[in-house]
Amino acid sequence: MAIKVIDDKFFFLSNKRVSYVMEVREGHLLHVHFGKKITCEDVSGCFNFYPLSFSCPENSIESDWFNLESIKAECPTFGSGDFRQPMVKIKGNNGEKINRFIFKSWEIIAKPVYKAMPYVRGGETLVVSLFDEVQSLEIKQYYTLFDDCDALLRHNQIINHSNKSIELSRFFSFNMDFDGSDFHVVSLYGKPSCEAQISCNKLGRGVTNLESNCGISSHKQNPFVALSKTDYNEHAGEVYGVNLVYSGSFKLSIELCNLNTVRLSGGINDNDFSWKLMPGDSFLSPEAVIVYSPSGLNGMSAEFSKLYRQRLLPNRANQKVAPIVINSWEAAFFDFDENKLKSIIDSASGSGIDTFVLDDGWFGKRNRDNCSLGDWHCNTNKIKCGLKGIKDYCTQKGLKFGLWVEPEMISEDSDLFRAHPDYYVHCGGYKPSESRHQYILDLVRDDVFNYLKEIFYQLIKTCEVDYIKWDMNRYITENYSSALASNRQGEFNHRYTLRLYELIEYLTSAFPDVIFEGCCGGGGRVDAGMLYYFSQIWASDATCANERAKIMYGWSLCYPLCALSGHVSKSPNLQNNRAIDFNTRADIAMLGAFGYELDLNALTKEECDQIPKQCELLKKVYPILQNGNFYRLLSPFASDYFSVMAMDAKKERGYLWFYQRLVDYGKTPVRLKLKGLDENKTYHLDYFDIMLSGSTLMNVGLAVPVFYEDFKSLLCKIEEVNLQK
Ligand code: DGJ
C-alpha cells in the first residue's frame, strides 16, 4: 500500500485499485475521494463548494467564501457552521459545546495494537492529528488500506491535553461525505430466528439511523450498511459498505442533506453514552471498515470476506476445517441424563462427526431455562460421571468435547444470586426487567469480572474441553453499575463491552487450542468484534433449511460464511413444523461451519448412511468457503430460489448451491450465470454430469431444471476437466 503526502496538504492512500484522498484546506481536513484509483496529480482542482447565503464564512482562515456546511468533512463537529450530523460532540469544562479541530501534523506508523478492543490486524497506517487549541484537545484519525483488499480502516482517538476534564457525548469512528443524493441503503435487520434479513430502500431526506440500543449489536439491526448508487445490483454498480468492528450498542447515521450530499457516519451509539475524559486521558473509538466496490454487492462482500478471513478472524480459523459437531440442544434440550448423552456420543462415533457439544442444561439444577445460570458446576444427578467423565467417554469414542456456557448471565434462582444478590445489572429501586428468567452480570464491577475469569478458567481447564459455545440470551436493561460514579453512568454500555472483550481475550489466550463459538440467542451478536476472538458464530436458531438459506444469504453480505455455523436438525422442523429432506438440510448447513443437532438414533438407516458421505463432502466444500471466492447468484429475498457458489482462487474447483422453495408449474428452468470461472477452462458439473466451458457457464448460463418438489436443493461440484484425470 502506498501512502503519499504532498506538501503537508494532500493525503493519498492507494493500492492498485482504489484511492482514499484527503486534503487540508483552510485548516480543515476534508474528504476528496474514495473510489477507483487516481493518480496523485489529479486532485488539486477537485474541491468544490456551494455558495451559501446562510453559511459561516468567518470559519475561513484564508478566504471569505469557504463554508463548513458544503464541504466533505473528515471530522465534522458541532457549532461552527456545519449543521449536518457531527462525528464528535464534546462538553467542555466550562459548558462549551463547540469544537474546532484544525490540522496539526501527520505521521505514518505500523498499525497500533490495542489490547482493549478488537481491531483488524496489521497494516501501515496514516495518522492525522487535529487540534482544538481553545480546549487543548487532540483528535488522531487513523487510516489503513491494504495492498490486497479494497477496505479502508478508520478509527479515532481523542486526547485531553488540558488540565480540565471534558465529557464526550458522541465519539464516532468515522465520517464520510458523498456527492449526490441518489443512493440506496442496504442493511441487515431481524429478530431471533429471523436474523440478517436484507432491507433495501431508496435513501430519503433527513437522517436515517440504523442502530442498536440493546447493549449488544443485536438481532434487530446489524452494524453493517451499504450505500449504493441507484443503478447497482449483485454484480455491478458502485457500492460503499461499512461494518463496525464492535459488539455493543452502535449507530450508523445516514443524512441526505439539503445540498444533495450524503453524510455517513457511525460508531458507538450516543443515545446512552457519555465518557468523562480527565486531563491526560485518551479515548479510542472502535474501528470502522469501509469497503469500496465498483462491482456491486458481491464485490463488496468479497472485500469484507477477504479482509476478515486474512486479518480479523483468530489465526486458527484459517488453519483447519471447523469441527463437525453433534450438538445436544435440539437433540435433547434439557431432557437428558448421562445415558442419553452417551447414546448420542455412541451414535456419532465413527460417522465422520468429530466433536460432541453438550449444550444448555448440564449445570446447577437446570431442567428448564428458569434457573442456575451462574452455578457452573455439573449437575451430577443428571450426569453421574461428571463433565470429565463425558470428556473421557468422548475421547474413548474418538470425539472431542465441547461445552455450552453463558458466562454473562445470572438466574435469580441460583446459588450465585443467593450469595451475591448485587452482582447483576440493576438500577436503584426500579424492578429489574427479567428476560428468559435471567439477568446480566455487571461485568464493570471488578469482583464480578474477576470471579468470571477464575470460574471459566477452571472450568475449561479441569474438564479439558476442546470447544466452548459462548451463548448470551438477552439484551441489557437497567443499564447502570454500582462501580461507576453517578456522573459516569453514561460509560456503562461501552465499559460492559470492553470488559466482555477483556474476559474473552483472557480465556481465548489462556486456551489457544480451544475452539470458541459465539452465540446470542441465535445470531444476536454476529459482528466483526466477536469474529476477532471467536472463529465461528452460531448464525441463528432457525434450523429449518428454508429459513436458514435466507439468513445465510443475508449474512454473506458482510461476513465470511466459513465463520458462521449451521446444523442439520430434525424434520419436521421443531420451530415451524416444515418437513425438508435430509440432504437438502445438509446442503444448506454446509454453507458454513457444519454439524448436526438432532437425535441421530431417530434417523432412518438411509439417513444414517448419508452422514459419513456428508462429512466427507464438507471437508471438500469448507476449505473453498474458507479460502476461495464466494458469489451470490439468486436471492431468496427476491424469488423462490436461492443460489450461491464458491470457487477456489485458482478457478479449478468449486461448489454451486441451488435451492427451490416452492414448485411453480408456470416457471421455466432457471438460467444461472456462474461467476468466478476461467473463461478458457472446461468444467465438469457432477450433479448434471455435463462439461461446459467457463465462458459458456458465465455468459450463456447453466439451465437448472426446476424441481417438482418443494424445499429441495442441489449441491453441485464444479471441477476443471483436466484435473479430473
Ligand atoms: C440459544 C442458542 O441459540 C441455542 O442454540 C441454545 O444454545 C440455547 N440458547 C440454549 O439455551
Side-chain angles (χ1 to χ4, degrees):
M1 194 257 307
I3 300 177
K4 194 165 172 184
V5 181
I6 301 175
D7 299 336
D8 286 346
K9 186 171 162 58
F10 292 109
F11 299 92
F12 297 84
L13 294 95
S14 295
N15 62 23
K16 290 202 173 110
R17 296 160 306 280
V18 298
S19 300
Y20 191 93
V21 185
M22 296 173 288
E23 172 187 0
V24 177
R25 195 174 273 256
E26 307 274 350
H28 297 276
L29 184 64
L30 307 187
H31 181 72
V32 177
H33 171 75
F34 183 36
K36 284 198 175 155
K37 185 182 167 86
I38 55 170
T39 58
C40 293
E41 291 71 35
D42 281 339
V43 297
S44 47
C46 283
F47 180 75
N48 53 10
F49 70 99
Y50 304 84
L52 296 171
S53 53
F54 269 68
S55 65
C56 298
E58 58 271 30
N59 283 337
S60 170
I61 298 163
E62 293 159 13
S63 60
D64 61 0
W65 49 261
F66 183 87
N67 64 77
L68 291 177
E69 176 76 342
S70 75
I71 49 101
K72 292 196 276 184
E74 284 289 320
C75 183
T77 52
F78 174 77
S80 291
D82 183 342
F83 300 99
R84 296 167 290 178
Q85 288 294 307
M87 183 178 83
V88 173
K89 276 202 234 169
I90 300 168
K91 285 187 202 151
N93 193 264
N94 296 319
E96 307 95 322
K97 289 170 291 180
I98 71 151
N99 295 103
R100 233 164 263 172
F101 283 98
I102 299 298
F103 171 74
K104 177 100 172 186
S105 61
W106 60 271
E107 61 179 328
I108 296 168
I109 58 169
K111 184 157 184 236
V113 178
Y114 306 108
K115 273 265 166 228
M117 256 191 297
Y119 288 84
V120 174
R121 298 173 173 90
E124 196 181 48
T125 300
L126 170 71
V127 190
V128 182
S129 284
L130 311 173
F131 257 79
D132 181 326
E133 297 290 354
V134 176
Q135 296 193 60
S136 290
L137 303 175
E138 179 184 12
I139 289 183
K140 290 185 175 189
Q141 308 212 143
Y142 294 79
Y143 300 85
T144 309
L145 180 71
F146 298 101
D147 279 336
D148 52 359
C149 189
D150 301 342
L152 180 93
L153 311 181
R154 286 266 333 244
H155 71 275
N156 300 315
Q157 183 178 28
I158 182 163
I159 306 158
N160 182 0
H161 292 290
S162 78
N163 53 12
K164 296 170 181 166
S165 67
I166 57 154
E167 194 176 288
L168 307 177
S169 43
R170 171 183 284 189
F171 195 68
F172 277 173
S173 305
F174 77 103
N175 182 84
M176 217 163 122
D177 291 336
F178 297 83
D179 293 319
S181 56
D182 231 4
F183 285 94
H184 270 77
V185 181
V186 182
S187 64
L188 295 172
Y189 72 99
K191 55 188 177 183
S193 294
C194 186
E195 297 84 346
Q197 304 297 296
I198 299 177
S199 150
C200 179
N201 298 308
K202 190 163 171 18
L203 179 61
R205 288 276 156 205
V207 179
T208 304
N209 285 329
L210 304 172
E211 61 186 320
S212 157
N213 286 299
C214 305
I216 59 172
S217 48
S218 89
H219 310 77
K220 288 156 72 100
Q221 192 73 52
N222 194 259
F224 156 80
V225 67
L227 274 190
S228 357
K229 292 279 168 62
T230 306
D231 51 350
Y232 81 102
N233 60 36
E234 279 286 10
H235 311 291
E238 284 199 296
V239 178
Y240 293 87
V242 178
N243 186 220
L244 299 173
V245 187
Y246 192 56
S247 314
S249 292
F250 70 88
K251 184 184 275 183
L252 288 162
S253 162
I254 313 144
E255 182 175 7
L256 173 49
C257 314
N258 60 331
L259 297 175
N260 288 334
T261 57
V262 170
R263 169 161 289 180
L264 173 61
S265 58
I268 297 172
N269 199 333
D270 56 342
N271 276 358
D272 177 23
F273 170 79
S274 64
W275 197 277
K276 216 168 173 49
L277 212 56
M278 303 306 284
D281 276 1
S282 67
F283 181 85
L284 271 174
S285 78
E287 188 152 66
V289 178
I290 312 173
V291 161
Y292 168 73
S293 159
S295 48
L297 289 173
N298 265 312
M300 172 199 73
S301 305
E303 298 305 320
F304 278 123
S305 175
K306 200 184 342 165
L307 183 78
Y308 291 172
R309 284 177 291 158
Q310 290 172 1
R311 300 178 199 274
L312 181 78
L313 284 162
N315 286 338
R316 62 184 173 278
N318 285 336
Q319 283 160 11
K320 49 189 168 194
V321 173
I324 302 180
V325 309
I326 171 73
N327 179 296
S328 69
W329 183 240
E330 287 198 19
F333 294 104
F334 295 107
D335 183 18
F336 58 80
D337 58 13
E338 181 179 323
N339 290 338
K340 173 79 186 170
L341 297 183
K342 287 185 170 169
S343 79
I344 296 175
I345 295 166
D346 288 342
S347 59
S349 173
S351 68
I353 293 171
D354 53 50
T355 303
F356 167 66
V357 179
L358 175 51
D359 210 284
D360 199 350
W362 58 266
F363 51 93
K365 55 181 177 71
R366 190 152 162 107
N367 290 316
R368 48 171 293 215
D369 64 6
N370 64 349
C371 69
S372 300
L373 292 165
D375 298 344
W376 300 110
H377 50 82
C378 183
N379 180 347
T380 43
N381 290 329
K382 271 171 128 172
I383 311 171
K384 299 219 169 358
C385 63
L387 292 179
K388 187 63 176 44
I390 296 293
K391 158 76 187 182
D392 292 343
Y393 195 73
C394 284
T395 311
Q396 210 182 310
K397 296 286 175 172
L399 296 181
K400 301 213 167 196
F401 176 47
L403 194 63
W404 176 96
V405 292
E406 197 176 357
E408 298 152 75
M409 296 297 154
I410 184 167
S411 309
E412 191 162 353
D413 182 4
S414 68
D415 293 341
L416 182 67
F417 193 94
R418 285 180 278 277
H420 300 284
D422 56 337
Y423 266 17
Y424 72 109
V425 176
H426 59 288
C427 181
Y430 291 98
K431 187 175 180 299
S433 310
E434 257 191 327
S435 177
R436 210 198 189 205
H437 313 287
Q438 62 198 55
Y439 302 127
I440 308 266
L441 282 168
D442 183 356
L443 269 57
V444 177
R445 285 172 58 140
D446 289 340
D447 49 359
V448 176
F449 178 71
N450 291 330
Y451 154 81
L452 286 174
K453 269 170 84 174
E454 181 57 19
I455 200 100
F456 285 99
Y457 180 88
Q458 290 305 337
L459 182 69
I460 297 171
K461 193 165 171 209
T462 51
C463 302
E464 295 173 20
V465 296
D466 305 293
Y467 177 121
I468 284 284
K469 177 176 173 186
W470 184 304
D471 205 348
M472 199 282 184
N473 282 298
R474 60 161 294 171
Y475 298 147
I476 302 180
T477 54
E478 290 79 41
N479 315 44
Y480 185 93
S481 173
S482 56
L484 295 173
S486 58
N487 60 355
R488 282 184 175 266
Q489 290 299 332
E491 300 177 16
F492 173 78
N493 287 343
H494 185 53
R495 284 193 185 277
Y496 179 92
T497 307
L498 292 179
R499 268 292 166 81
L500 173 67
Y501 288 145
E502 195 181 340
L503 182 61
I504 300 174
E505 167 76 32
Y506 170 75
L507 292 170
T508 50
S509 312
F511 301 101
D513 297 327
V514 172
I515 302 273
F516 282 80
E517 176 183 61
C519 176
C520 179
R525 206 159 52 184
V526 173
D527 58 62
M530 284 294 135
L531 286 178
Y532 175 87
Y533 304 100
F534 295 154
S535 52
Q536 58 191 66
I537 301 181
W538 177 236
S540 173
D541 274 353
T543 57
C544 165
N546 183 68
E547 309 310 308
R548 189 53 86 99
K550 274 177 95 174
I551 290 166
M552 296 304 265
Y553 196 94
W555 284 138
S556 77
L557 279 183
C558 187
Y559 304 102
L561 292 190
C562 64
L564 296 173
S565 39
H567 296 162
V568 177
S569 67
K570 194 179 167 192
S571 178
N573 185 270
L574 294 169
Q575 287 122 26
N576 60 19
N577 210 28
R578 185 178 286 128
I580 295 187
D581 75 68
F582 197 61
N583 279 332
T584 294
R585 280 177 275 151
D587 288 351
I588 300 302
M590 272 189 220
L591 285 162
F594 178 72
Y596 297 83
E597 188 161 333
L598 74 180
D599 186 352
L600 297 173
N601 295 308
L603 295 180
T604 64
K605 160 108 181 44
E606 291 71 40
E607 288 169 335
C608 285
D609 291 346
Q610 286 303 313
I611 294 179
K613 294 181 195 150
Q614 290 170 349
C615 294
E616 275 316 300
L617 177 58
L618 186 271
K619 287 182 186 149
K620 299 196 181 96
V621 173
Y622 189 80
I624 296 182
L625 283 175
Q626 216 173 16
N627 304 305
N629 298 315
F630 180 85
Y631 305 89
R632 288 178 299 274
L633 304 178
L634 271 181
S635 170
F637 291 92
S639 70
D640 254 356
Y641 306 115
F642 159 97
S643 183
V644 299
M645 62 178 286
M647 265 327 269
D648 69 353
K650 290 185 180 160
K651 304 185 174 187
E652 290 173 347
R653 277 190 196 86
Y655 288 88
L656 168 71
W657 282 259
F658 176 79
Y659 167 75
Q660 171 184 287
R661 191 157 39 218
L662 297 177
V663 177
D664 179 346
Y665 280 93
K667 288 264 164 69
T668 46
V670 174
R671 193 165 281 283
L672 279 179
K673 290 190 177 171
L674 304 197
K675 297 282 166 189
L677 306 178
D678 183 332
E679 298 223 326
N680 301 313
K681 287 181 177 169
T682 304
Y683 294 92
H684 178 251
L685 283 81
D686 70 349
Y687 182 88
F688 305 95
D689 195 19
I690 50 164
M691 284 197 282
L692 285 170
S693 71
S695 64
T696 303
L697 286 166
M698 292 197 292
N699 299 318
V700 181
L702 173 73
V704 181
V706 290
F707 296 114
Y708 291 105
E709 196 179 328
D710 293 343
F711 315 120
K712 188 85 188 139
S713 72
L714 63 88
L715 176 51
C716 173
K717 180 163 75 172
I718 307 166
E719 192 168 33
E720 186 185 341
V721 167
N722 293 338
L723 295 173
Q724 290 188 305
K725 290 172 194 151

